[in-house]
Amino acid sequence: NAGVTQTPKFQVLKTGQSMTLQCAQDMNHEYMSWYRQDPGMGLRLIHYSVGAGITDQGEVPNGYNVSRSTTEDFPLRLLSAAPSQTSVYFCASSYSRGRYEQYFGPGTRLTVT
Amino acid sequence: KQEVTQIPAALSVPEGENLVLNCSFTDSAIYNLQWFRQDPGKGLTSLLLIQSSQREQTSGRLNASLDKSSGRSTLYIAASQPGDSATYLCAVPSGTYKYIFGTGTRLKVLA
């Protein structure tokens, strides 16, 4: 049972490039989400999903895209990277929304130059 | 709108001390509250999940309490050790689908 896994661990992009951050969980969790963590601002929700085929926006969705074709995977796409997207990105999952323990992945540290 | 505050932002204590970390929230209509630990450069590790119907939850040297009416939770760490040094965050559900996090308390336990 690997829990929540994320790849890559580190990434450097140039402004305007696109990329996909991968997230997978093997706990058959319904709910998955993406956060970014910035100094002094805490964790902010980017997008979330309550099941395969269902996604919605969080607090800071602009510049990011998600899809959920399977229960296990929830990739985050940066469409055209900007320096403001330099951050640490965490994926999380839980059995269901709101009432259950959240499990986090190890994070992806992204730098956009 | 739910807001979560953690005070103090940083704390430094000698090894062996018992200590209390605080988490305050503005909307008391919560299902639960979760405490996490984050080591530098790492992800969040769940420590305790305390349901709204509970007043306390314990795991080893950790004890979390929840007082919904006053909008407060405390994380008590007994007999602190240098290995407890980390940032501790609390989080509450907001609405149906979202979680709101505090900005954390950075703890340093001195040997």
Side-chain angles (χ1 to χ4, degrees):
Chain A
N1 191 332
V4 181
T5 58
Q6 291 183 240
T7 56
K9 284 189 167 48
F10 302 94
Q11 183 70 49
V12 179
L13 290 178
K14 292 190 186 327
T15 297
Q17 287 185 316
S18 62
M19 80 159 294
T20 300
L21 308 186
Q22 301 291 346
C23 173
Q25 53 89 12
D26 61 359
M27 297 174 281
N28 201 30
H29 283 171
E30 257 187 16
Y31 181 88
M32 295 184 74
S33 54
W34 277 101
Y35 292 89
R36 58 179 289 174
Q37 186 176 39
D38 302 290
M41 305 205 65
L43 281 139
R44 292 180 293 168
L45 182 65
I46 305 171
H47 284 286
Y48 63 92
S49 169
V50 298
I54 308 169
T55 64
D56 206 346
Q57 297 180 351
E59 299 171 73
V60 288
N62 292 340
Y64 307 96
N65 204 357
V66 292
S67 60
R68 183 119 177 250
S69 55
T70 67
T71 301
E72 294 78 20
D73 300 299
F74 190 42
L76 178 73
R77 294 183 194 83
L78 278 70
L79 307 172
S80 176
S84 61
Q85 294 178 304
T86 294
S87 187
V88 182
Y89 291 85
F90 290 102
C91 179
S93 75
S94 66
Y95 178 68
S96 185
R97 57 190 188 267
R99 296 179 184 269
Y100 296 90
E101 193 169 5
Q102 283 200 97
Y103 295 86
F104 277 76
T108 294
R109 188 173 294 273
L110 176 69
T111 302
V112 183
T113 61
Chain B
K1 180 187 169 189
Q2 179 73 273
E3 292 180 5
V4 180
T5 305
Q6 290 186 251
I7 294 172
L11 184 61
S12 188
V13 299
E15 183 177 6
E17 270 205 12
N18 302 325
L19 55 100
V20 173
L21 307 181
N22 297 299
C23 173
S24 300
F25 47 93
T26 54
D27 183 352
S28 62
I30 58 170
Y31 298 131
N32 56 50
L33 184 144
Q34 193 168 359
W35 281 94
F36 295 89
R37 168 189 173 132
Q38 185 176 27
D39 293 286
K42 304 288 187 188
L44 279 69
T45 301
S46 178
L47 297 174
L48 289 163
L49 174 71
I50 181 164
Q51 301 290 354
S52 61
S53 57
Q54 298 175 307
R55 292 192 64 85
E56 280 190 8
Q57 188 72 265
T58 298
S59 175
R61 293 182 294 108
L62 306 179
N63 176 278
S65 67
L66 177 63
D67 183 345
K68 282 179 57 176
S69 61
S70 67
R72 291 187 60 194
S73 176
T74 60
L75 180 67
Y76 175 82
I77 303 177
S80 58
Q81 303 170 357
D84 294 330
S85 298
T87 297
Y88 291 81
L89 299 112
C90 62
V92 296
S94 175
T96 309
Y97 300 115
K98 302 178 183 179
Y99 294 86
I100 305 295
F101 283 79
T103 50
T105 294
R106 193 168 60 253
L107 173 67
K108 187 165 187 176
V109 181
L110 306 168

